[in-house]
Amino acid sequence: AQSVAQPEDQVNVAEGNPLTVKCTYSVSGNPYLFWYVQYPNRGLQFLLKYITGDNLVKGSYGFEAEFNKSQTSFHLKKPSALVSDSALYFCAVRNTNAGKSTFGDGTTLTVKP
Amino acid sequence: EAGVTQSPTHLIKTRGQQATLRCSPISGHTSVYWYQQALGLGLQFLLWYDEGEERNRGNFPPRFSGRQFPNYSSELNVNALELEDSALYLCASSWGGSGNTIYFGEGSWLTVV
């Protein structure tokens, strides 16, 4: 079985400050890890993914994520938050046997001016 | 290039009725996934279709069913609707292979009254 935990329901940061949205996972075998963002009443938009290689992955809109195998974590980061980054963020994991992706419960990011 | 398209955008049904939701994947994608996003419950995996076959199924009752057509489009059928089926139903598609990104449509809102 595979699972994802996003330990924080909400993250609040001030505009211009760095942000981190946490994600830990559990999966058998090598994980494929993904981050998505959802704006109100919209579908999910893909931000970035880790498949293999460099542990630091860069994605859309200035976001990056660091894969840490020993801590089974894949935290989403951005050096300088924007008000427009305010949204719901989902971490997802898929094992190498393909098929379903399992999503975390989501973290609401609020960036205040 | 067109993204994943879903129809209808909104659907209101009465308890006990049937609902049919439709999804057209990104051109060239052979896999289609269905997820339910109910308020406060995150994304719950429903079904995965690939090359016309059902490959995996989430923990939902049999009244949730679907199919994938030869052109890789898909439909999700929900029979004997219950109030708790009210949710955003998200379709996603990808090329085959577990490392490939799944891309989401904007979803179909189903309201059961």
Side-chain angles (χ1 to χ4, degrees), chain A residues 8-13 18-22 87 107-111:
Chain A
E8 300 158 317
D9 291 337
Q10 287 214 322
V11 170
N12 298 310
V13 299
L19 69 87
T20 299
V21 183
K22 296 179 180 177
T107 298
T108 299
L109 172 67
T110 301
V111 181

Side-chain angles (χ1 to χ4, degrees), chain A residues 70-106:
Chain A
S70 63
Q71 296 185 5
T72 61
S73 66
F74 189 56
H75 301 330
L76 181 70
K77 300 181 180 183
K78 187 173 183 180
S80 180
L82 299 172
V83 173
S84 57
D85 293 331
S86 299
L88 182 58
Y89 290 80
F90 289 97
C91 180
V93 66
R94 192 190 315 171
N95 69 15
T96 54
N97 291 326
K100 72 174 187 178
S101 296
T102 298
F103 286 79
D105 290 337

Side-chain angles (χ1 to χ4, degrees), chain A residues 11-89:
Chain A
V11 170
N12 298 310
V13 299
E15 188 174 31
N17 283 0
L19 69 87
T20 299
V21 183
K22 296 179 180 177
C23 171
T24 58
Y25 67 89
S26 173
V27 68
S28 57
N30 294 321
Y32 295 146
L33 296 157
F34 303 81
W35 276 102
Y36 290 83
V37 60
Q38 186 179 34
Y39 296 98
N41 301 315
R42 303 294 299 278
L44 275 68
Q45 295 180 30
F46 168 70
L47 280 178
L48 52 80
K49 69 179 179 183
Y50 172 83
I51 302 299
T52 187
D54 194 350
N55 289 343
L56 184 63
V57 179
K58 295 188 182 296
S60 305
Y61 312 119
F63 284 94
E64 58 189 28
E66 187 167 11
F67 171 65
N68 187 317
K69 187 173 183 178
S70 63
Q71 296 185 5
T72 61
S73 66
F74 189 56
H75 301 330
L76 181 70
K77 300 181 180 183
K78 187 173 183 180
S80 180
L82 299 172
V83 173
S84 57
D85 293 331
S86 299
L88 182 58
Y89 290 80

Side-chain angles (χ1 to χ4, degrees), chain A residues 32 36 38 42 94 99 101, chain B residues 35 37 48 98-100 102 106:
Chain A
Y32 295 146
Y36 290 83
Q38 186 179 34
R42 303 294 299 278
R94 192 190 315 171
S101 296
Chain B
Y35 284 83
Q37 187 177 21
W48 169 38
S98 54
N100 289 314
I102 64 172
E106 294 294 326

